Amino acid sequence: MESRLKVLGHPVHPMLVMFPIALFVAATIFDIIDVAGGPTFLGELAYWNILVGLIGGILAVLAGAVDLLAIPAGTRAKRVGVAHAATNIAVLLLFAAVFVVRLAAYTRTAGGALVAIEVVAIAGLAVGAWLGGELVDRLGVGVDPEADLNAPSSLRPRTTAAASADRPEER
């Protein structure tokens, strides 16, 4: 099944997910270092990473929803897609909760309990990423149906079999 939302021939959802993943992982690492006695500016940096990760995560969810809605009901891909979406939305909600608690606090740094929530969220993120990989690599969701090892550039216009038959130089 080919992705429904593309830029220059490539699916948008995989382009967007890397940002919240990286920002949430970095925020968690920064918070762990801060709680362990590292420089306090890392806790502040983690706070801002979470904010930007939430914005990127919302954009990734919206792009993913376009493709999820196009998956036929009753298929394994639909079940895996729903699990992928639900897991990643739960991760966003956990990081949103951490962000709101920090927003209301005197300092933007996290304590041990918030870091524990972040670690649980990162574990959920790993599960969600695995499910996304299952969708793409195993079930072919978002993959161009004409893809192969010698496929032409996604920037080239597609030709139909009938058009190719009319031009012997392409055979």
Side-chain angles (χ1 to χ4, degrees), residues 61-78:
V61 164
L62 294 173
V66 171
D67 287 339
L68 179 60
L69 293 172
I71 299 173
T75 62
R76 180 168 179 267
K78 187 69 156 196

Side-chain angles (χ1 to χ4, degrees), residues 63-128:
V66 171
D67 287 339
L68 179 60
L69 293 172
I71 299 173
T75 62
R76 180 168 179 267
K78 187 69 156 196
R79 290 188 304 276
V80 172
V82 169
H84 169 69
T87 301
N88 288 321
I89 289 170
V91 167
L92 283 178
L93 291 173
L94 286 172
F95 274 105
V98 168
F99 178 79
V100 168
V101 169
R102 291 168 87 157
L103 180 64
Y106 176 72
T107 66
R108 301 291 185 244
T109 59
L114 292 180
V115 172
I117 292 170
E118 290 176 10
V119 169
V120 168
I122 293 298
L125 194 61
V127 171

Side-chain angles (χ1 to χ4, degrees), residues 4-25:
R4 300 291 191 252
L5 186 59
K6 294 182 169 191
V7 171
L8 297 174
H10 293 281
V12 172
H13 180 66
M15 290 184 217
L16 294 176
V17 298
M18 70 181 92
F19 296 106
I21 290 171
L23 289 162
F24 291 152
V25 169

Side-chain angles (χ1 to χ4, degrees), residues 134-163:
E134 184 75 358
L135 281 169
V136 174
D137 294 335
R138 184 76 173 156
L139 299 169
V141 174
V143 176
D144 188 328
E146 297 174 15
D148 66 42
L149 296 177
N150 293 309
S153 167
S154 57
L155 297 176
R156 290 183 58 196
R158 291 189 178 179
T159 59
T160 61

